[in-house]
């Protein structure tokens, strides 16, 4: 799952009852999940914290890319938060404090023109790239980054987030050599938009727009070797499917934390082995989770109410994240061109059974596309959450039955969840053929227009906390291209496209109200997706590591982690 922001409302959410953040040094709190008791968040320093040292993390699956223009996994955004320097960024803080945008390479928040369409950034001096580069980060750096992201040769998902820059379409179409709406002059970077965009500053703070040395090649396959970065850390080496090594950036003069000297990700490790290695203090973090069945035990032994937490050494943390899991129903395929059949799938899903497969503290069932905490969310109570309504599903399906090919991942609990979906849809006459792939392969296939699948077993974590990122990014047909799509249902209806564009032009409560209505109307009407879960993030660390901080945008803040004395 990738990752996301109109932060005034989101900050209120974080300060409310849904997310109770507690110290890594102990205490109670957290969000009660659908499958267990709360185990608490993470923030603050750790008694006995020391500078330096090496932390070892395990990954079952490799990241997708190390190129910021293409990387779109939670794991990659996590290490990019530690390695990137951006115009604007989110602070290394938890809760509401961590959700407010602030200047990073920009000297201050941008000046905005009277018509709300032009943003002028003044670039702060002192940022340099990591070895082997000594290049200075300046205004031209960010012009270069934006043009690289939107270069047709890059095929970057970033293009859909900056298509409202003046001259972007001409540049994307190859009709212009540069983007006329992006101008770098001295220490000033000016970006002119075609219309007022309330979410622009949140978009420019995404990792896609991380500073890279000028002249970095644009290639749809991404960089072949790590490139210098200007954040607290840099990627020192990357061996696909084997390891990722981050080191402290000696050229970094910013004020973000960089406690550990080296961070090593070992790729391809079975989650069961990872759990045991962490308990023996041989490995320090399960970066993409532990086996689902282990979470109840770990929560009891190492969570917020455990003796370890009371001793200031909590190792297991649970935090709600802005996300949902769903089935994308491919509307370009014969089977799911039928709107009523798509609604039938929504009625047939056993959401709680799917959630149980993910283990204790996994999350809560949902039937909507906007998760709680995203401005505009309103519980619409559209489909059954506690148990499927098979009879209603059968009525809607009628004789519109057949075979469906479903793409999913090949790691637990994907295969087990696929069996539940097979059984659920069999009740309404749909024979599901499951095809399993490594996650990166699955994501790439589903993002390729014309790929022969009917159902994509997917999830989405907010890029920034604005409803645009869930509704327009996942469902607008105007952004569908040959590859690297996020609209896996390939839903493309001119009427609905216009409603999405109209909502994106609004601001404040009018914006949120419009998106809240769109959320309910899309889920209940055309139903291109079948939503079933809002996730919690569950993190398990060794006793050797402290200073756990759950950053509300990027999850566990690896730059803030430290060694325990």
């Amino acid at each position: 799952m990738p990752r996301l922001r109109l932060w005034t409302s989101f900050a209120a959410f974080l300060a409310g009852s849904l997310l109770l953040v507690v110290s890594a040094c102990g205490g109670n709190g957290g969000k009660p999940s659908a499958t267990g008791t709360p185990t608490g968040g993470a923030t603050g320093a750790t008694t006995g914290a020391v500078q330096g040292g090496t932390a070892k993390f395990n990954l079952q699956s490799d990241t997708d890319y190390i190129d910021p223009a293409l990387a779109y996994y939670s794991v990659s955004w996590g290490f990019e938060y530690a390695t990137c320097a951006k115009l604007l960024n989110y602070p290394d803080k938890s809760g509401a404090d961590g959700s407010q945008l602030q200047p990073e390479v920009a000297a201050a928040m941008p000046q905005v023109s009277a018509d709300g369409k032009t943003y002028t950034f003044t670039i702060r001096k002192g940022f340099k790239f990591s070895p082997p580069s000594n290049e200075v980060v300046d205004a031209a750096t960010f012009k270069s980054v934006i043009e690289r992201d939107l270069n047709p040769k890059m095929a970057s998902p970033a293009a859909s987030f900056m298509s409202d820059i003046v001259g972007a379409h001409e540049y994307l179409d190859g009709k212009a050599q540069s983007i006329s709406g992006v101008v770098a002059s001295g220490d000033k970077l000016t970006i002119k938009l075609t219309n007022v965009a309330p979410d622009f500053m949140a978009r420019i703070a995404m990792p896609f727009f991380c500073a890279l040395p000028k002249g970095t090649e644009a290639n749809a396959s991404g960089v072949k070797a790590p490139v210098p970065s200007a954040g607290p850390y840099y990627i020192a080496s990357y061996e696909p499917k084997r390891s990722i090594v981050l080191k402290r950036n000696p050229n970094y003069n910013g004020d973000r934390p960089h406690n550990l000297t080296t961070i090593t990700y070992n790729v391809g490790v079975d989650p069961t082995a990872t759990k045991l290695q962490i308990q023996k203090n041989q490995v320090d973090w399960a970066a993409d989770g532990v086996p689902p069945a282990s979470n109840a035990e770990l929560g009891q032994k190492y969570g917020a109410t455990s003796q370890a937490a009371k001793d200031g050494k909590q190792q297991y943390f649970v935090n709600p994240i802005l996300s949902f899991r769903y089935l994308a129903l491919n509307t370009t395929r014969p089977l799911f061109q039928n709107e009523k059949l798509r609604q039938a799938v929504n009625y047939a899903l056993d959401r709680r059974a799917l959630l149980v497969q993910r283990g204790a503290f996994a999350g809560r069932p949902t039937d909507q596309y906007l998760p709680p905490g995203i401005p505009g969310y309103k519980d619409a109570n559209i489909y059954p959450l506690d148990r499927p309504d098979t009879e209603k599903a059968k009525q809607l399906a009628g004789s519109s039955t057949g075979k469906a090919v479903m793409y999913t991942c090949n790691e637990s609990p994907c295969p087990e969840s696929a069996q539940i979906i097979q059984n659920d849809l069999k009740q309404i006459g749909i024979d599901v053929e499951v095809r399993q792939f490594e996650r990166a392969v699955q994501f790439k296939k589903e993002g390729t227009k014309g790929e022969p699948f009917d159902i994509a077993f997917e999830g989405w974590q907010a890029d920034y906390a604005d409803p645009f990122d869930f509704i327009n990014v996942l469902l607008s047909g105007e952004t569908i291209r040959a590859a690297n799509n996020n609209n896996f249902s390939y839903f493309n209806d001119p009427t609905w496209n216009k409603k999405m564009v109209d909502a994106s032009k609004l601001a404040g409560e009018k914006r949120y109200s419009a998106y809240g209505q769109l959320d309910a109307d899309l889920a209940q009407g055309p139903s291109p997706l079948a939503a079933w879960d809002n996730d919690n993030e569950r993190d398990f660390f060794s006793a050797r590591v402290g200073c756990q901080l759950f950053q509300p945008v990027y999850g566990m803040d690896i730059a803030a982690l430290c060694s325990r004395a």
Side-chain angles (χ1 to χ4, degrees), residues 116-117 119 164 193 195-201 203 504-506 511:
K117 297 180 183 179
Y119 293 75
D164 56 349
L193 307 181
N195 51 265
V196 176
D199 62 342
F200 171 73
M201 285 194 286
R203 285 187 269 139
S504 72
K505 295 178 180 179
L506 300 174
R511 178 185 186 85

Side-chain angles (χ1 to χ4, degrees), residues 4-21 30-32 94-100 318-323 364 370-377 462 464-466 470 509 512 534-537 550-553:
L4 351 174
R5 268 69 59 195
L6 287 181
W7 286 112
T8 301
S9 295
F10 186 43
F13 149 68
L14 287 168
S17 62
L18 189 60
L19 176 58
L20 304 178
V21 181
K31 169 185 173 291
S94 62
D97 290 341
S99 65
Q100 302 297 323
V318 176
N319 291 277
I321 53 178
L322 295 177
S323 70
R364 45 161 278 172
L370 294 181
I374 288 290
Y377 168 82
Y464 58 100
D466 185 86
F470 286 82
E509 290 306 317
Y512 305 151
N534 297 132
D535 272 356
N536 290 330
E537 181 172 318
F550 188 82
Q551 213 289 331
V553 184

Side-chain angles (χ1 to χ4, degrees), residues 297-488:
E297 171 201 353
L298 296 177
Q300 182 180 17
K301 288 184 177 180
Y302 306 106
T305 60
S306 67
Q307 185 61 49
K310 293 174 184 177
D311 294 339
K313 297 180 179 180
Q314 183 177 342
Q315 294 176 232
Y316 182 82
F317 305 87
V318 176
N319 291 277
I321 53 178
L322 295 177
S323 70
F324 80 124
R325 294 182 188 270
Y326 62 92
L327 304 184
L329 308 176
N330 193 338
T331 59
T332 65
R333 299 271 286 174
L335 186 65
F336 287 122
Q337 288 177 2
N338 183 331
E339 180 176 298
K340 289 191 178 298
L341 187 60
R342 300 197 297 267
Q343 295 171 0
V345 170
N346 275 274
Y347 277 103
L349 275 186
D350 191 337
R351 291 170 170 82
R352 287 206 177 269
L354 287 169
L355 195 54
V356 166
Q357 288 295 330
R358 303 195 65 78
F361 322 119
R364 45 161 278 172
T366 190
D367 55 1
Q368 295 175 234
Y369 307 158
L370 294 181
I374 288 290
Y377 168 82
K378 185 177 181 180
D379 190 356
N381 193 26
I382 303 167
Y383 298 108
L385 299 183
D386 289 328
R387 61 183 61 86
D389 188 341
T390 305
E391 290 307 312
K392 177 69 172 179
K394 288 179 178 178
Q395 292 173 16
L396 286 166
S399 59
S400 301
T401 58
K403 183 176 180 179
V405 173
M406 182 171 79
Y407 285 7
T408 187
C409 71
N410 59 1
E411 299 163 359
S412 183
C414 289
E416 296 85 352
S417 298
Q419 291 179 359
I420 293 173
I421 293 166
Q422 279 181 313
N423 181 67
D424 290 345
L425 299 193
K426 185 178 181 180
Q427 308 306 309
I428 61 173
I430 299 177
D431 179 19
V432 178
E433 176 189 337
V434 178
R435 298 183 186 175
Q436 300 176 20
F437 305 95
E438 291 184 3
R439 186 68 179 102
V441 174
Q442 178 198 353
F443 196 75
K444 184 174 182 179
K445 282 180 171 290
E446 291 166 353
T448 302
K449 185 178 179 182
E451 179 71 18
F453 69 91
D454 300 285
I455 303 172
F457 187 71
E458 270 301 337
W460 186 259
Q461 185 176 336
D463 300 306
Y464 58 100
D466 185 86
F468 178 98
D469 188 56
F470 286 82
I471 302 298
N472 298 59
V473 171
L474 296 182
L475 293 169
S476 173
E478 293 186 350
T479 60
I480 294 174
R481 50 197 184 274
N484 291 330
N485 291 293
N486 295 316
N487 181 349
F488 296 145

Side-chain angles (χ1 to χ4, degrees), residues 123 173 456 558:
I123 305 303
D173 292 340
I558 64 174

Side-chain angles (χ1 to χ4, degrees), residues 472 476-478 493-505 518:
N472 298 59
S476 173
E478 293 186 350
D493 183 294
T495 299
W496 289 102
N497 289 343
K498 184 178 184 304
K499 289 181 179 180
M500 292 181 222
V501 170
D502 290 346
S504 72
K505 295 178 180 179
L518 264 176

Side-chain angles (χ1 to χ4, degrees), residues 75-291:
V75 167
S76 55
W77 278 36
F79 63 66
E80 286 183 333
Y81 182 52
T83 58
C84 281
K86 297 173 288 184
L87 289 166
L88 308 176
N89 207 347
Y90 299 92
D92 298 84
K93 297 179 180 179
S94 62
D97 290 341
S99 65
Q100 302 297 323
L101 273 174
Q102 64 180 27
E104 185 175 23
V105 181
M109 297 302 283
Q111 292 184 333
V112 184
S113 62
D115 64 2
K117 297 180 183 179
T118 302
Y119 293 75
T120 301
F121 297 86
T122 300
I123 305 303
R124 177 181 299 166
K125 294 181 179 179
F127 279 86
K128 289 185 178 182
F129 288 102
S130 60
S133 174
N134 289 310
E135 184 177 325
V136 172
V137 178
D138 56 19
T141 299
F142 290 99
K143 176 177 173 62
S144 173
V145 164
I146 293 170
E147 292 185 339
R148 179 176 186 265
D149 284 338
L150 271 63
N151 189 321
K153 296 179 181 178
M154 197 73 244
S156 170
S160 63
F161 292 102
M162 289 293 154
S163 60
D164 56 349
I165 296 178
V166 171
H169 284 289
E170 292 81 358
Y171 183 73
L172 280 164
D173 292 340
K175 298 177 181 178
Q177 295 299 308
S178 64
I179 302 175
S180 60
V182 182
V183 177
S185 178
D187 64 352
K188 304 293 184 185
L189 177 75
T190 302
I191 302 175
K192 186 174 183 179
L193 307 181
T194 57
N195 51 265
V196 176
D199 62 342
F200 171 73
M201 285 194 286
R203 285 187 269 139
I204 201 68
M206 295 166 69
F208 294 130
F209 307 103
C210 166
L212 293 176
K214 292 184 278 291
T216 302
E217 180 188 9
N219 187 317
S221 298
V223 291
K224 302 299 182 183
V227 294
S229 57
Y233 289 85
Y234 69 101
I235 300 175
S237 67
Y238 174 50
E239 295 184 61
K241 299 185 179 182
R242 295 195 64 182
S243 68
I244 308 166
V245 177
L246 273 56
K247 291 187 177 181
R248 191 187 290 164
N249 180 3
N251 294 336
Y252 181 70
N253 295 311
D255 56 6
R256 293 192 56 203
H258 41 287
N259 297 318
L260 296 164
T261 302
T262 305
I263 297 168
T264 300
Y265 290 83
N266 298 309
V267 180
V269 185
D270 180 81
T272 300
T274 293
K275 172 195 165 187
L276 296 174
Q277 289 170 1
I278 292 175
Q279 289 176 312
K280 295 178 180 179
N281 289 323
Q282 297 169 342
V283 166
D284 298 303
W285 182 36
D288 54 1
V290 296

